[in-house]
């Protein structure tokens, strides 16, 4: 109820602060007998770790080495909780001392203080994007489970700031550091990042997530529809301000005759539904997109207030990304994978 | 876990099918001592009931009279479950007989059958929008609770098909049947509806929800952020395909320096955050928008398949709305009210 | 979280007060395709209804006719919520007027007022045993589900006051109004009840619950062990003050060599474990016993206090049972059936 | 849902196996601002650790040093998850190799295999009493929270095998290694343990738990009554086979006039209710007792079967306790403290 647990059957609890001892996750409800190695998890963590992630990334160096503390026996899951820990190595708490008494614009400083009456100001504490390491670690286990059922989840950049991709060639995703399915657009995006970095500013963008191989029948009626679960899961990622499924906001301008996906004996003729009808998967590919806001930590001077509610200005140096893209990509994949793994197991309970 | 329950502390379970005996909701966790009358609930139900809702609405006539079966004593809630029932009066099950063996495009027929192995084909069964009567009834109780804390929730139409509002004058909302904060736009929308109706087609649109008076500190970190909870809540409404908070998708094109809301001693200078920072309310107005897809039941002929997976065509007569707008508006308000009521109580547990 | 919901997958929410409009239950998570009729439920309700239950019972006459308001289609469950309502017919609220200002000893009057700040004094409100009608109705559906898996649940009286059964001949259970597996003991118990009634006093006793056909592997490690779930479920029945599994309290005096159940190729040589090892069913019969306290409403004069905390005396007339036995028996069965149905479905999710 | 999480608001997830890397717990929902040091937790762990616990204890040497990995800032809880880890140091996995292929009587070997299809046979894996270290660590935090509200929880031995305490002088609890409130009885118990050890056998007993200072109003109606929650919590401890509240099983033989606690202006005249009426605390001391079965690992030869279902005999050497008492005592306290902490916070949500 305090918000750090995700899922009903495949249930994950994450913990840890940016500048604490470690971050981690515990998975309760992973079926027994799943082959799992630390490398399965490490591979995903390596995609989101600081220092990786190409031109937009922070120079903070974290090896992000995962340790599996429980739940494995002879290379397989046992059905009991899988505890994962990632110890923090390169936390520079001192560099946050000057931010101790002010509220950074666009950050949770002011809302956390209102909620808890105190806050760990070092690097955003629990509100830091570092928290997502636990999600990605748990998501790697979910992906492993999904892979046994023929389900794959991929995310990729479809817009960075005002630059959109012209095409969606998934074969190109791993060709460029932005995980963009359009190498030409990726080149423009990289140039754009450098320009914006020089302005002391930051960028947002749009990420699309595609899940293929998902069987029909996943999702629960009414409040825990698959699209509702995905929307909650994706909106829970710090920088996300919007989520859409299938045609999404463009459906608002369509006629029913346009938006309805014609059903043919061989399958759906289109996929405006994003693979979900009445909240339940229909067997088609699941498609979602998220709007990612620009990183709020900018080196340009901003106006704000301090704890005494006096006006002050702030320029945030530190080691910050220019954009949450591309490091948010494995996080988006993790959240979709966790959602699908959970609903896959939920469906088994009633089928 | 089967999806018909919403909330953690202020917890609502809804039940009922379009053509069953009744629909309803049970609220568990409403604080004791809240003054409540059937009229409080009836007023909200009247806003969404069939036959109301202006030019876009179905001619099905349902009085939607609520009965409070438990949880009240001498005009006040007792802290025990509040059971609400709305008996169905005007269900014409026969008119669905011809749809028994086919999958309607854009509907959950195909996904429900895949999930459950059987389905109640009459009017969509549990997947019918009639299900939302239970949400609205429960939402009315949430609104009553919120009103005691100075919180109000209002929703209104900001786009219908390709027609958008030019302004947001909330004083005009109740002047027109579309709950549009722009009377001139409303006139155009009504004309548009009639044209589309003649084409045998349907319309989507965009609804904005505004909650004022919400204290800072609501929402939980990580997975149950207030924006994540709102996104899940709103996406759980049948016709919704997208949700955005504050600047939403437009934030993807902003720079950090633009998107960050400057903090002044007197409050935030702008509200791109939509009243939520790091998933926790910041005291500013909470703003969300949802993309509503066009009603999938159209009288124009569509191609689909039957249970034997043979191609067939279908033209859906029946008594259907042209657009989920405006009847979806009290449903949007209900879901936001339920989310805020739940988080308001959750915050009390730790404060 | 407010306590009126039971179960994780097969999830039941009950509602209703002794002197309100109705009592009922909503089941969310019942698998689709289960054949179900109102008679299946009515048969169980008839076993606990006021006026039934033999010599120990209250003269309140309630037909306790169940109505299934949703979740059924063509005689089968659909997988969507099953709403059950039982309207109250014979509530005599006036007869409680004299109890409005006092705290009845042994009742929840004082604790409910402390909790909620107000209370529905009529017949105990939500704390009334009438609340168990909803449990029994939902339990009947659980029993139906279990029966398809070859699991049966029976409860019977093994002690009433100081009179214990000499034998456990389950064939005799339905021969006597106390559901006692020993007809001779039953005769003594009935005589005892009449004597105690004349004294203006009431009686407790012990009920044993036996579930056969339960497969091994049900229950979850650590906090949701099958015995823990059963203990919580049974202790949640109003009059229950103790629960034991298998050898129970007598195990405290055994040696390990005595208490361990020897395992033979053909099965366990004894059943001190009560069918549960390390919290997980082992395939043997599940055996539990509950201690039932005497009904606190007695016609003998008792000392207590009023709302002003002044000493007063009270003699409770009304229409009360002399013992919760035997009407508690179907309630015990219902709670065990609900627990097993839930864990049966939970196990499917991971198997 | 997979059973490793306890509580609704003060929510604890434990993890870890007897012979894995570590055991631990994550607390989600602890209020912010609670002063907490590793010593607060270590003191409780020291009471249950192997090698401690007097004459009945195993010689396994585990320092059981707790590490707080998150959730603390400047000596206070922050409101975010508190992750606790205790690394295993003295696991002798090899000594379990001979038990790999057999089912130990009285252990979960056979039920775990049925549940999961595989098992970690080393020291019982997740079913080991070592799992309770996580409970005790989390319980220490709950105790700290309760202490701020004037609530204390103590457990003590009231019977070991057939030897019962003659008195309950809580001042003597810490005078003897069995935490027995009767030093004379403790001397007899110690002699008894030595005799039983020589016989290659083991002992059970009864532990009483007393919580004082608990305000009235805790507990939720119907399924999550405080006594139901306590029963589930206590029965979830491995060796527990019975739970009773207040007069417990002896209430079954009382008359209503005896069992009812007379209410005086100054409070209750007796405490047969164990401090709980209608499932809600009444302000009196909360009293529960648990039946502890004898340790199933005995060195005497026992008959059982192997994985091939062939009869074999087994004599379990290893490093085992003679009785779960007294090491179970801090575990009982932890479970009661966790239950009360959770219900204390739950009550805040609605009050």
């Amino acid at each position: 109820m305090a918000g750090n647990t995700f899922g009903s059957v495949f249930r994950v609890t994450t913990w840890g602060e940016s500048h604490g001892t470690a971050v981690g996750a515990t998975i309760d409800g992973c079926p027994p007998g799943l082959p799992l190695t630390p490398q399965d998890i490490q591979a995903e963590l390596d995609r989101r770790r600081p220092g990786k992630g190409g031109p937009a990334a922070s120079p903070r160096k974290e090896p992000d080495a995962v340790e599996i503390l429980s739940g494995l026996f002879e290379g397989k899951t046992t059905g009991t909780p899988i505890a994962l820990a990632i110890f923090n190595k390169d936390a520079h708490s001192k560099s946050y001392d000057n931010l101790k008494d002010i509220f950074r614009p666009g950050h949770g400083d002011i809302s956390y203080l209102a909620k808890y009456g105190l806050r760990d100001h070092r690097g955003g504490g629990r509100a830091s994007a570092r928290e997502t390491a636990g999600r990605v670690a748990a998501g790697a286990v979910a992906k492993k489970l999904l892979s046994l059922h023929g389900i794959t989840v991929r995310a990729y950049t479809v817009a960075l700031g005002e630059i959109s991709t012209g095409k969606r060639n998934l074969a190109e995703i791993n060709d460029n550091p932005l995980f963009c399915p359009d190498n030409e657009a990726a080149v423009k995006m990289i140039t754009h990042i450098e320009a914006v970095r020089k302005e002391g500013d930051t960028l947002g963008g749009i990420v699309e997530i595609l899940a293929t191989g998902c069987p029909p029948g996943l999702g629960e009626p009414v409040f825990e529809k698959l699209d509702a679960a995905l929307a909650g899961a994706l909106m829970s990622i710090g920088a996300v301000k919007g989520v859409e499924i299938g045609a999404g906001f463009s459906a608002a301008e369509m006629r029913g005759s346009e938006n309805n996906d014609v059903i043919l004996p061989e399958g759906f003729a289109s996929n405006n539904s994003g693979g979900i009808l009445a909240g339940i998967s229909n067997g088609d590919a699941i498609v979602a997109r998220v709007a990612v806001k620009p990183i709020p930590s900018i080196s340009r001077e901003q106006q704000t207030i301090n704890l005494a509610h006096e006006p002050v200005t702030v320029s945030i140096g530190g080691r910050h990304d220019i954009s949450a893209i591309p490091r948010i990509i494995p996080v988006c994949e993790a959240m979709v994978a966790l959602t699908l793994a959970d609903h896959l197991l939920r469906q088994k309970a009633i089928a």
Side-chain angles (χ1 to χ4, degrees), chain A:
Chain A
M1 214 201 62
N4 299 283
T5 295
F6 183 85
S8 288
V9 174
F10 193 97
R11 188 179 281 189
V12 175
T13 302
T14 70
W15 51 268
E17 292 85 40
S18 179
H19 291 225
T21 305
V23 296
T26 303
I27 302 167
D28 196 18
C30 183
L34 180 72
L36 186 70
T37 66
Q39 288 70 34
D40 290 326
I41 300 169
Q42 196 62 52
E44 290 295 318
L45 280 171
D46 288 349
R47 294 173 66 207
R48 77 154 283 292
R49 80 163 189 256
K52 277 280 165 135
S58 146
R60 178 169 170 179
K61 294 282 178 291
E62 283 288 359
D64 275 358
V66 70
E67 296 178 38
I68 303 179
L69 302 179
S70 69
L72 272 195
F73 181 58
E74 299 179 342
K76 288 184 178 169
T77 59
T78 60
T80 60
I82 302 168
L84 306 172
I86 300 151
F87 283 81
N88 292 329
K89 303 290 187 190
D90 189 31
H92 293 186
S93 305
K94 283 286 169 208
S95 62
Y96 289 87
D97 281 359
N98 63 322
L99 300 172
K100 194 176 164 180
D101 297 324
I102 68 154
F103 300 121
R104 292 169 297 164
H107 276 282
D109 301 345
I110 199 165
S111 53
Y112 262 64
L113 186 62
K115 180 171 192 66
Y116 294 118
L118 53 80
R119 70 183 173 99
D120 177 354
H121 68 278
R122 303 164 305 163
R126 182 70 179 146
S128 165
R130 179 137 193 80
E131 159 268 316
T132 61
R135 302 186 189 217
V136 168
V141 182
K143 280 186 165 184
K144 194 75 188 268
L145 176 64
L146 293 177
S147 72
L148 297 188
H149 291 81
I151 303 171
T152 59
V153 178
R154 275 171 298 177
Y156 38 85
T157 303
V158 295
L160 190 83
E162 47 277 84
I163 304 175
S164 297
T165 51
K167 60 179 182 182
R168 272 172 177 70
N169 181 359
L170 302 194
E172 298 183 10
I173 289 176
N174 291 314
D175 291 348
N176 60 77
L178 293 172
F179 299 102
C180 179
D182 177 344
N183 282 329
E184 284 176 52
V187 170
K188 290 183 205 158
M189 289 172 180
I190 291 168
T191 307
H192 193 42
I193 287 169
E194 288 315 312
V196 169
R197 184 194 301 276
K198 279 175 196 146
E199 295 167 17
D201 222 328
T202 55
L203 284 167
I206 297 176
V207 170
E208 185 167 279
I209 308 102
L210 177 76
T212 56
C214 185
L218 304 195
E220 301 293 332
V222 182
F223 298 117
E224 300 181 22
K225 287 170 168 155
L226 189 56
D227 41 2
L230 288 169
L234 290 166
M235 194 72 96
S236 80
I237 303 171
V240 173
K241 296 300 285 184
V243 181
E244 57 180 12
I245 305 291
F249 274 85
S250 69
E253 297 196 9
M254 291 182 183
R255 297 285 191 282
S257 58
E258 271 177 286
N259 184 60
N260 283 350
D261 299 311
V262 163
I263 315 179
L264 304 171
E266 59 270 25
F268 294 94
S270 56
N271 191 12
N272 287 319
S273 75
I276 302 173
L277 283 168
I280 295 171
S281 66
N282 64 13
D284 211 336
I286 289 171
V287 184
R289 271 175 305 283
V290 297
V292 180
K293 76 171 187 178
I295 297 271
S297 291
I298 60 176
S299 58
R300 291 175 68 158
E301 196 173 272
Q302 298 179 87
Q303 201 175 340
T304 187
I305 60 173
N306 62 18
L307 292 182
H309 277 234
E310 298 157 339
V312 293
T313 59
V314 61
S315 164
I316 300 171
R319 302 170 298 169
H320 299 286
D321 293 344
I322 296 305
S323 176
I325 294 174
R327 287 181 60 207
I328 204 172
I329 282 174
V331 184
C332 291
E333 291 180 6
M335 292 314 300
V336 170
L338 289 169
T339 305
L340 293 178
D342 187 43
H343 279 271
L344 191 74
L345 299 182
R346 289 166 76 160
Q347 177 62 7
K348 287 180 68 181
I350 65 149

